[in-house]
Amino acid sequence: MQPRKSEFARIVSKVPEVTVYFWVIKVLATTVGETAADLLNFNLGLGLGGTTAVMFVALAVALVLQYRAPRYVPWRYWLVVVLVSIAGTLVTDNLTDGFGVPLETTTAVFAVLLAIVFVWWYRSEGTLSIHSITTRRRETFYWAAILVTFALGTAAGDLLAERLSLGYLLSAALFATVIAFIGLFYGLRVLGGVLAFWAAYVLTRPLGASLGDWVTQPSDSGGLDFGTVGPSAVCLAAVVALVCYLTASGRDRLPA
């Protein structure tokens, strides 16, 4: 008789290979997170509380589907990322708009919380590499870290663009520049792969959020005033198209 598998038994990798497709979809998903949260909140009249409740229920369902998958399945994985992006935006919006917590405070708190998740993850598993997401516990640490990065990125992006008055486009350019330097330092082997990945992952969130706000916000607030419906639809359609391509091509599969 074979021994019963525990919750932490080894499973096939549940995350994609980090390719250019990964980063393109990630930025698009973060942009959708920013624009869709505003779309549901304001345009559809759900309000901040209603939007938050709907999105967290949807996220819970998506996570169940993701956990039940025996291996990486593109549409399940990226569905969770899109919903986490929206949920992370709403967490920050609830704290700042609903409870009046300053962006400086939320940025600092989420930065500390992310550090705690990483320390706990490393102490438990001995690695933070996404190439090691092969147990249920590691997958849980992975999604916890990603949720916090989205909340942190939203707070940091709004802090620079609005509170420090840099504007959305300049903030996006600043984040993109820092990400480019991270890529350069990784290429020069100044930064290790794990540190470079997570640093870039955190920064792509405020990059996408700043781009989303720049496209959707009114011109008197420094935006292009395209509204939330069109940009949300375009970005979501691009995500769906890329996920369909990756499903068919297998270009983002990690080796077993």
Side-chain angles (χ1 to χ4, degrees), residues 24-256:
V24 170
I25 299 176
K26 170 61 165 55
V27 173
L28 288 169
T30 60
T31 305
V32 168
E34 187 71 20
T35 60
D38 290 341
L39 172 64
L40 295 171
N41 187 7
F42 300 109
N43 295 63
L44 298 185
L46 293 181
L48 190 55
T51 302
T52 302
V54 169
M55 285 300 101
F56 271 90
V57 169
L59 176 58
V61 173
L63 280 171
V64 169
L65 293 173
Q66 169 65 17
Y67 273 104
R68 287 184 174 179
R71 61 183 60 82
Y72 165 65
V73 179
W75 74 265
R76 297 191 188 205
Y77 175 88
W78 288 111
L79 175 62
V80 175
V81 171
V82 170
L83 292 175
V84 167
S85 178
I86 299 173
T89 299
L90 292 169
V91 168
T92 299
D93 287 348
N94 272 280
L95 290 173
T96 55
D97 298 337
F99 295 97
V101 181
L103 287 168
E104 295 88 346
T105 301
T106 55
T107 300
V109 168
F110 287 131
V112 172
L113 184 57
L114 182 60
I116 291 173
V117 172
F118 281 146
V119 169
W120 190 2
W121 182 356
Y122 188 81
R123 286 175 64 88
S124 298
E125 303 298 320
T127 179
L128 298 177
S129 173
I130 66 163
H131 298 293
S132 68
I133 310 301
T134 52
T135 68
R136 298 294 183 191
R137 183 163 61 182
R138 290 180 181 181
E139 188 177 9
T140 299
F141 279 122
Y142 178 81
W143 289 117
I146 286 178
L147 177 59
V148 179
T149 64
F150 277 108
L152 171 60
T154 301
D158 289 346
L159 176 63
L160 264 65
E162 299 174 7
R163 190 61 55 83
L164 300 182
S165 301
L166 291 184
Y168 302 118
L169 185 57
L170 182 57
S171 296
L174 176 61
F175 290 121
T177 300
V178 176
I179 292 170
F181 274 107
I182 291 172
L184 174 62
F185 292 149
Y186 170 70
L188 295 175
R189 298 186 178 180
V190 176
L191 290 178
V194 173
L195 177 58
F197 171 82
W198 284 113
Y201 199 98
V202 170
L203 291 171
T204 51
R205 171 53 183 163
L207 170 62
S210 297
L211 289 173
D213 282 334
W214 177 56
V215 172
T216 61
Q217 293 300 311
S219 56
D220 58 2
S221 298
L224 297 178
D225 200 15
F226 286 150
T228 56
V229 178
S232 297
V234 170
C235 289
L236 187 59
V239 169
V240 171
L242 286 170
V243 170
C244 289
Y245 168 74
L246 293 175
T247 300
S249 67
R251 294 290 297 273
D252 62 340
R253 301 292 196 280
L254 281 168

